[in-house]
Amino acid sequence: MPANANHSSTMPPGLIVLLLSLLLGLQPITTDLYLPALPVLTAELGAPMAQAQLTLTALLLAFGGSQLVWGPLSDRFGRRPILLIGMAAYVLASLASTLAPSMGWLIVWRTLQGAAMGAGVMCARAIVRDLYEPTQGARVMSKGLSGLGVIACLSAPLGGLVSELLNWRYALLAVGVFGALTLAAVALRFEETAPQKNPQALQLGTLVATWRAILSNPTFLAFSALSACSYGGLFTFLAASSFVFTGVLGLSKIQYGLVMFVNSLAYLAGTFICRHWLPRFGVRRAVGMAGVLSISGGTLMAVLTLAGWVSVWSIMPAQMLFMIGHGIHQPCGQSGAVGPFPKAAGAASAVNGFLMMLCAFAMGGWLGTHMDGTVLPLTLGVWFWSALIALSAWTLVQRHG
């Protein structure tokens, strides 16, 4: 039984962390694994770069928006049925993406894939709140996000290797295989964690009152600002990196996969540092120190490239600093945002996820029109988000966290 549990569970702690890792890992494997093939995919389907960006930004907008539906549904019917429905839909959309005959159809199926993915990631955050108090929840979330980090480490190198040896369709097929394995794990091993189902969760009056309470809670807003800005910085790197590293800096798809591996490895290190810092310093101080890492990485990256030093080495050491900070901000931000709402964890998780994806979608739209054949949209974008992260970490979280 989990320590400091709110709701008893017969699932062993190791199984809980494994399931969290698989569900949270849906996000990096869905976005990262096909990135090495994105330039080739774009050329083969004869589509402009703006449409190629839509395969990522439309997926993430659907991912964020769907959580506003999945969250109340999971509060009403429980986490297990929502996970089973969502993961089944995810597998089907993944297979359809593999067979897409045009960029338009690929965007459609990726959008549906994102909507289905929302069920898995939203439920993962809600499960942590179902079973743990907020401080313990941050540590458990960091373990789940360490699993995400391992999956992210493998995703881009695997995608680069598969697309190099076979083609981009097999990279998308690999995403469907991961979804099928996750669906099997949920169906065979996951037990319901919602302490009690709320029969009024889907009523309009209840929804409005719940969302109003969530959006007016200063703790929720503080941690959501932190997690949304941190994800905005990550998304900037993800959305622009394949074009920058392969198109501008001339790396091969396999070399690009290794760059993404290093990026994910830094994030993984951040989640381990998070678990070390939390019992020693507490959430607010840990987040404050991580803000120093974020702003240092973003500033270093921008200054070096503005000064004319444009290479992998002018970007990646600074990006690693940013990603270590990201590995601390995300478990603290995601668990902290849901913490005040033990009876509406699904709805709070959904709104937090929606705000993160809203930032990503806005940034994706900007990148789609500003990618100019240089590294600056990537480096200045990460710098912008690093400043907002530090501002959130040093003011809002310190005051309301």
Side-chain angles (χ1 to χ4, degrees), residues 2-7 11 13 16-17 19-21 23-24 79 83 120-145 190 193-195 330-332 334-339 341-342 345-346 349:
N4 300 327
N6 299 316
H7 171 63
M11 292 186 293
I16 294 171
V17 171
L19 290 169
L20 289 175
S21 298
L23 293 171
L24 294 168
R79 318 299 179 211
L83 281 173
V121 177
M122 180 284 304
C123 281
R125 292 194 296 264
I127 288 164
V128 171
R129 187 63 187 96
D130 291 340
L131 297 176
Y132 301 94
E133 295 296 338
T135 301
Q136 178 71 1
R139 298 186 68 185
V140 175
M141 179 64 82
S142 75
K143 292 181 181 179
L145 290 173
F190 178 71
T193 61
Q330 282 302 307
C332 293
Q334 291 185 32
S335 61
V338 181
F341 306 100
S349 169

Side-chain angles (χ1 to χ4, degrees), residues 8 12-13 16 55 88 97 101 120 146 154 164 236 244 264 361-362 388 391 396:
S8 61
I16 294 171
T55 63
S97 296
S146 292
L154 299 174
E164 187 79 39
T236 301
V244 166
S264 300
F361 183 78
L388 294 183
L391 188 64
L396 295 177

Side-chain angles (χ1 to χ4, degrees), residues 297-343:
T299 301
L300 179 63
M301 185 188 303
V303 168
L304 290 177
T305 53
L306 284 171
W309 185 20
V310 178
S311 74
V312 174
W313 296 104
S314 68
I315 296 174
M316 284 311 298
Q319 176 66 14
M320 290 176 69
L321 279 178
F322 180 90
M323 288 304 293
I324 292 171
H326 184 70
I328 299 164
H329 294 311
Q330 282 302 307
C332 293
Q334 291 185 32
S335 61
V338 181
F341 306 100
K343 296 182 179 179

Side-chain angles (χ1 to χ4, degrees), residues 178-200:
F178 180 87
L181 292 174
T182 304
L183 173 61
V186 170
L188 296 174
R189 300 302 305 274
F190 178 71
E191 300 170 8
E192 183 58 63
T193 61
Q196 57 185 15
K197 300 176 181 66
N198 181 0
Q200 284 81 44

Side-chain angles (χ1 to χ4, degrees), residues 213-225 333 336-338 340-341 347-353 355 400:
I214 291 169
L215 290 170
S216 62
N217 185 284
T219 300
F220 173 85
L221 294 175
F223 282 114
S224 288
V338 181
F341 306 100
S349 169
V351 178
N352 174 250
L355 293 175
H400 302 296

Side-chain angles (χ1 to χ4, degrees), residues 245-390:
F245 286 102
T246 62
V248 180
L249 300 179
L251 300 189
S252 70
K253 283 182 282 189
I254 292 177
Q255 287 173 325
Y256 170 67
L258 292 175
V259 164
M260 296 299 288
F261 173 81
V262 170
N263 186 64
S264 300
L265 200 62
Y267 169 74
L268 183 61
T271 64
F272 282 98
I273 292 170
C274 180
R275 289 201 294 282
H276 176 70
W277 280 3
L278 282 174
R280 185 175 178 185
F281 301 116
V283 171
R284 282 182 290 186
R285 192 174 173 194
V287 164
M289 292 189 296
V292 176
L293 295 172
S294 303
I295 191 65
S296 298
T299 301
L300 179 63
M301 185 188 303
V303 168
L304 290 177
T305 53
L306 284 171
W309 185 20
V310 178
S311 74
V312 174
W313 296 104
S314 68
I315 296 174
M316 284 311 298
Q319 176 66 14
M320 290 176 69
L321 279 178
F322 180 90
M323 288 304 293
I324 292 171
H326 184 70
I328 299 164
H329 294 311
Q330 282 302 307
C332 293
Q334 291 185 32
S335 61
V338 181
F341 306 100
K343 296 182 179 179
S349 169
V351 178
N352 174 250
F354 176 75
L355 293 175
M356 284 196 287
M357 293 313 110
L358 199 61
C359 287
F361 183 78
M363 194 64 195
W366 184 85
L367 286 170
T369 57
H370 287 79
M371 292 298 291
D372 56 2
T374 74
V375 303
L376 290 178
L378 185 155
T379 59
L380 296 182
V382 172
W383 191 21
F384 168 78
W385 289 110
S386 73
L388 294 183
I389 293 166

Side-chain angles (χ1 to χ4, degrees), residues 42-137:
T42 304
E44 186 174 317
L45 295 179
M49 188 182 298
Q51 274 197 334
Q53 289 288 348
L54 271 178
T55 63
L56 190 57
T57 53
L59 175 140
L60 289 174
L61 184 64
F63 171 55
S66 71
Q67 293 180 63
L68 296 177
V69 178
W70 294 122
L73 282 171
S74 75
D75 287 337
R76 170 63 183 88
F77 297 108
R79 318 299 179 211
R80 182 177 168 83
I82 299 307
L83 281 173
L84 292 173
I85 293 169
M87 291 312 307
Y90 177 90
V91 173
L92 293 175
S94 300
L95 296 177
S97 296
T98 303
L99 303 173
S102 67
M103 184 65 80
W105 277 110
L106 182 59
I107 292 170
V108 168
W109 292 119
R110 291 278 291 176
T111 301
L112 293 175
Q113 189 180 36
M117 180 173 71
V121 177
M122 180 284 304
C123 281
R125 292 194 296 264
I127 288 164
V128 171
R129 187 63 187 96
D130 291 340
L131 297 176
Y132 301 94
E133 295 296 338
T135 301
Q136 178 71 1

